Amino acid sequence: MKLKLKNVFLAYFLVSIAGLLYALVQLGQPCDCLPPLRAAAEQLRQKDLRISQLQAELRRPPPAPAQPPEPEALPTIYVVTPTYARLVQKAELVRLSQTLSLVPRLHWLLVEDAEGPTPLVSGLLAASGLLFTHLVVLTPKAQRLREGEPGWVHPRGVEQRNKALDWLRGRGGAVGGEKDPPPPGTQGVVYFADDDNTYSRELFEEMRWTRGVSVWPVGLVGGLRFEGPQVQDGRVVGFHTAWEPSRPFPVDMAGFAVALPLLLDKPNAQFDSTAPRGHLESSLLSHLVDPKDLEPRAANCTRVLVWHTRTEKPKMKQEEQLQRQGRGSDPAIEV
Amino acid sequence: MKSALFTRFFILLPWILIVIIMLDVDTRRPVPPLTPRPYFSPYAVGRGGARLPLRRGGPAHGTQKRNQSRPQPQPEPQLPTIYAITPTYSRPVQKAELTRLANTFRQVAQLHWILVEDAAARSELVSRFLARAGLPSTHLHVPTPRRYKRPGLPRATEQRNAGLAWLRQRHQHQRAQPGVLFFADDDNTYSLELFQEMRTTRKVSVWPVGLVGGRRYERPLVENGKVVGWYTGWRADRPFAIDMAGFAVSLQVILSNPKAVFKRRGSQPGMQESDFLKQITTVEELEPKANNCTKVLVWHTRTEKVNLANEPKYHLDTVKIEV
């Protein structure tokens, strides 16, 4: 039989098509090479990530400040915080330090009520990234609150605040951080910030340009939604307060700031530990300023930028029970 | 003409076939072990950028002269976004709590705050607060039904679920970017280090929480990098004896488990976390953070109820001051 060229080509074509289809079907099938390929790809991905991390670290610019770099002329805010050892101490200081980190040109004076500096506070200050001075002074036994006594029996934090004033006036005593007090002529402002209050970032900009003593409202204090100065024509004419309005300065500790030069000019101005209940603030301010000369801040004292919050004492029923059985929590884990 | 084209096609066809078969055979060969070689990472300069080798030389940042223009920093590989879901409700300390939480969040890179009010409508206080906060945020609201407001019942369930629903809806039609979800109550205290720890979560990560369950801390017990149990003072039989502030979940896990929510029905008090985590992971899969769960980086603080005994019943003040 004579083979026609046309038939040969046709047969050749059909075989080719069949082979092509077979090859295409095979291409889609999983092959035994996949596990090593996957392993290789994973290895490369791990390398990628490591390289990218290293490159990121190399290229990372220095951390940007929370605000634009401040001119040297900006007055420093000296924040005085008395603190004492208790279960919530570290938590309180952590969130306070986070707020203070947002404020440019701020110097934190943290004063412990203790015989010596504690590792917890020293470590926290070192890690905070803030400019700080660590001070320590123990409250005398006679003025210390006994277990279960309400907070108003003795004014608290008096020795600690006075210790900070001493340091600012050049009497030393720092146990950590910046040891040298501000040189004479330093422009600055001093603010007494308890470790459990809540501070808005705006508050610090309001107080920064204090010339004498500036004041503003404080939220959630004295049994009221807020306490604060009453202002007319830019002058303080009275105080919105429910508790003993006859006090010379019915303001909360968180409701005023004092210019540093004024404090240095009046070396005897300090807090009086024997002051009657609610008169602690007045014991300092009456040495420094006349009520009519107070400088109202926070939109003429119509905005609340600080809150007198209090943190609940945590219940430690389980802890006490386990400690009695000798199975208490690990003291090496810092809380 | 036509036959010439056919002829060429027929002649080329077997060669195409041979090439395809050769390629197929070649890819079936086992891969030789990887040899060290210069490698340019596709992740090095972010998406779609040129691949650049790692530069080792050059002055460090600190040594650059002031008058030299600093080279433009290359865009970094994208950080996973941390989504913080915060349920909140109206009370005297609400603004204070949100203020200090915002002060913390402001210092965390690539964080998106999902603030969910327990209310039938958004409140002016929270809306104004968020507008001023300057944080990437989403403001949601959903009221808790009255029957669930009894003491002893889990709180903020509806609010957390609203946050989850928003996340799923947002990423429904787009390829999810890397992200981590964290439930941040408005009165707890968070260390900045905590956010660094949780950012690398692959599935579900865990860590200790301070001042919770009647103890100084509760924590996962870790052996050889795996969670093997729980140090807890309350109901140790829980599958995940963990506080709401003690875990984070990868966004991918949330999206791939669309039915995972916080349960109201059939959920006993204190079992919210366990009932949620059971739907998305197992204890064996948990990733311990915070130095193998030996560092406390979050505290279950509670703010005292405010005494407003001296607040007059009727406000006579002409100026409405927001507290």
Side-chain angles (χ1 to χ4, degrees):
Chain A
M1 185 183 126
K2 210 175 182 184
L3 283 172
K4 282 189 181 172
L5 192 60
K6 190 178 168 186
N7 294 343
V8 171
F9 267 120
L10 195 63
Y12 181 75
F13 178 69
L14 290 171
V15 170
S16 298
I17 286 287
L20 185 60
L21 286 171
Y22 173 76
L24 289 172
V25 167
Q26 286 299 308
L27 275 179
Q29 296 299 314
C31 66
D32 51 358
C33 64
L34 277 180
L37 267 178
R38 278 210 190 100
E42 183 57 29
Q43 220 173 325
L44 288 176
R45 208 178 65 80
Q46 294 297 335
K47 278 190 177 180
D48 279 350
L49 285 170
R50 186 75 194 114
I51 289 167
S52 67
Q53 281 167 3
L54 289 168
Q55 284 185 320
E57 277 168 34
L58 271 178
R59 289 204 208 91
R60 187 166 288 136
Q67 302 206 333
E70 65 272 6
E72 291 299 310
L74 213 55
T76 301
I77 298 172
Y78 293 91
V79 175
V80 175
T81 301
T83 188
Y84 64 101
R86 63 210 192 273
L87 280 165
V88 295
Q89 183 184 30
K90 189 177 182 185
E92 300 285 35
L93 294 177
V94 161
R95 57 182 164 192
L96 179 54
S97 74
Q98 287 169 1
T99 298
L100 301 182
S101 299
L102 296 167
V103 184
R105 277 190 92 74
L106 181 140
H107 188 136
W108 194 14
L109 308 182
L110 190 56
V111 196
E112 285 196 77
D113 184 352
E115 283 176 346
T118 62
L120 186 150
V121 174
S122 303
L124 187 136
L125 282 171
S128 71
L130 288 159
L131 175 61
F132 70 88
T133 295
H134 188 181
L135 301 159
V136 176
V137 60
L138 190 65
T139 301
K141 221 169 190 171
Q143 275 150 37
R144 242 180 277 167
L145 285 173
R146 285 166 195 80
E147 190 64 46
E149 253 186 332
W152 47 262
V153 174
H154 300 291
R156 288 184 296 181
V158 179
E159 306 295 324
Q160 289 71 36
R161 292 184 191 100
N162 286 340
K163 179 77 174 176
L165 292 176
D166 283 348
W167 180 83
L168 284 166
R169 288 168 176 148
R171 293 174 202 152
V175 294
E178 183 61 52
K179 299 276 193 344
D180 299 324
T186 301
Q187 286 306 300
V189 58
V190 180
Y191 179 55
F192 300 96
D194 288 354
D195 64 3
D196 54 353
N197 289 349
T198 300
Y199 308 93
S200 146
R201 180 168 65 165
E202 281 173 86
L203 176 72
F204 297 94
E205 294 320 311
E206 290 284 331
M207 73 174 72
R208 197 183 292 278
W209 300 97
T210 300
R211 291 184 303 277
V213 176
S214 57
V215 288
W216 49 80
V218 178
L220 313 176
V221 66
L224 294 169
R225 283 174 65 246
F226 67 91
E227 265 188 358
Q230 291 167 330
V231 178
Q232 262 175 28
D233 306 322
R235 292 238 173 227
V236 174
V237 294
F239 292 89
H240 171 67
T241 182
W243 193 80
E244 219 182 298
S246 59
R247 290 174 288 163
F249 292 87
V251 293
D252 184 72
M253 195 65 75
F256 69 91
V258 184
L260 179 64
L262 177 61
L263 268 175
L264 299 180
D265 283 349
K266 312 264 179 158
N268 298 323
Q270 59 169 19
F271 293 98
D272 179 5
S273 58
T274 63
R277 179 186 173 193
H279 286 252
L280 188 62
E281 295 84 352
S282 299
S283 73
L284 174 80
L285 292 174
S286 49
H287 286 97
L288 299 172
V289 71
D290 198 275
K292 69 178 190 317
D293 294 327
L294 294 171
E295 303 159 33
R297 294 281 191 261
N300 267 337
C301 296
T302 61
R303 288 186 67 201
V304 173
L305 300 175
V306 53
W307 295 264
H308 192 277
T309 43
R310 286 274 164 270
T311 303
E312 259 181 28
K313 193 179 175 195
K315 296 172 185 73
M316 288 285 120
K317 215 159 56 180
Q318 298 283 345
E319 188 71 41
E320 287 152 15
Q321 204 174 311
L322 283 167
Q323 273 173 353
R324 281 196 292 273
Q325 299 165 14
R327 295 192 297 124
S329 60
D330 182 355
I333 294 182
E334 187 179 85
V335 177
Chain B
M1 180 70 186
K2 206 173 184 183
S3 64
L5 278 172
F6 269 128
T7 312
R8 279 180 195 159
F9 176 63
F10 287 148
I11 290 164
L12 283 173
L13 199 68
W15 293 106
I16 293 166
L17 181 65
I18 288 163
V19 168
I20 288 170
I21 289 168
M22 288 299 290
L23 281 171
D24 190 33
V25 168
D26 196 44
T27 56
R28 282 164 180 264
R29 269 199 219 122
V31 178
L34 282 170
T35 51
R37 60 196 173 91
Y39 189 72
F40 301 147
S41 164
Y43 300 94
V45 287
R47 289 176 186 279
R51 296 181 183 189
L52 297 173
L54 184 59
R55 283 228 322 272
R56 294 181 195 283
H61 282 305
T63 60
Q64 275 178 340
K65 293 196 182 107
R66 272 186 182 260
N67 56 2
Q68 285 179 339
S69 64
R70 207 177 258 174
Q72 285 300 306
Q74 303 282 351
E76 287 180 25
Q78 195 184 4
L79 272 180
T81 301
I82 293 173
Y83 293 94
I85 294 182
T86 300
T88 187
Y89 65 100
S90 177
R91 62 209 193 272
V93 296
Q94 183 183 31
K95 192 178 178 186
E97 300 284 36
L98 295 178
T99 295
R100 56 182 162 194
L101 190 50
N103 286 345
T104 300
F105 286 168
R106 266 191 195 103
Q107 294 170 75
V108 182
Q110 199 70 26
L111 181 138
H112 188 112
W113 194 9
I114 303 168
L115 193 54
V116 194
E117 285 195 76
D118 182 352
R122 291 178 189 174
S123 69
E124 271 187 47
L125 184 148
V126 176
S127 301
R128 249 197 309 267
F129 173 82
L130 274 179
R132 274 200 176 131
L135 278 161
S137 61
T138 298
H139 186 184
L140 306 172
H141 65 90
V142 58
T144 302
R146 272 181 70 173
R147 65 184 178 279
Y148 295 133
K149 284 190 171 175
R150 294 197 307 274
L153 289 181
R155 290 187 300 177
T157 303
E158 286 72 23
Q159 289 71 39
R160 291 189 189 101
N161 285 341
L164 289 170
W166 179 86
L167 266 176
R168 285 172 178 139
Q169 195 182 329
R170 185 191 190 194
H171 294 283
Q172 195 175 17
H173 301 301
Q174 59 187 78
R175 205 174 125 266
Q177 300 298 313
V180 178
L181 170 67
F182 172 57
F183 297 99
D185 287 355
D186 64 3
D187 54 354
N188 288 350
T189 301
Y190 308 94
S191 145
L192 295 179
E193 220 182 312
L194 177 71
F195 299 95
Q196 281 172 264
E197 291 283 328
M198 75 171 73
R199 208 184 286 275
T200 54
T201 301
R202 288 190 302 275
K203 199 169 180 190
V204 179
S205 57
V206 290
W207 50 79
V209 178
L211 312 176
V212 66
R215 292 200 170 179
R216 283 175 67 241
Y217 59 82
E218 276 187 347
R219 75 182 188 96
L221 299 171
V222 178
E223 272 175 29
N224 305 322
K226 291 274 178 198
V227 174
V228 294
W230 308 93
Y231 177 80
T232 177
W234 188 81
R235 282 202 63 175
D237 61 318
R238 290 174 288 164
F240 296 85
I242 195 168
D243 185 72
M244 198 64 77
F247 67 91
V249 184
S250 146
L251 177 61
Q252 205 49 61
V253 170
I254 292 295
L255 299 180
S256 52
N257 293 277
K259 290 197 168 75
V261 291
F262 289 93
K263 292 195 176 100
R264 268 288 181 205
R265 296 172 73 167
S267 187
Q268 299 163 13
M271 294 295 281
Q272 284 259 293
E273 297 88 346
S274 281
D275 288 341
F276 176 69
L277 290 171
K278 262 193 311 197
Q279 300 169 69
I280 57 174
T281 190
T282 61
V283 174
E284 294 73 38
E285 287 182 307
L286 295 174
E287 303 153 41
K289 301 287 186 196
N291 195 14
N292 266 337
C293 296
T294 61
K295 278 180 83 178
V296 174
L297 300 175
V298 53
W299 295 264
H300 192 277
T301 43
R302 286 275 163 270
T303 303
E304 267 181 22
K305 204 161 182 270
V306 178
N307 162 30
L308 295 179
N310 296 328
E311 194 60 36
K313 293 271 188 296
Y314 308 102
H315 290 287
L316 308 170
D317 203 339
T318 50
V319 183
K320 176 80 177 80
I321 293 183
E322 183 181 270
V323 178

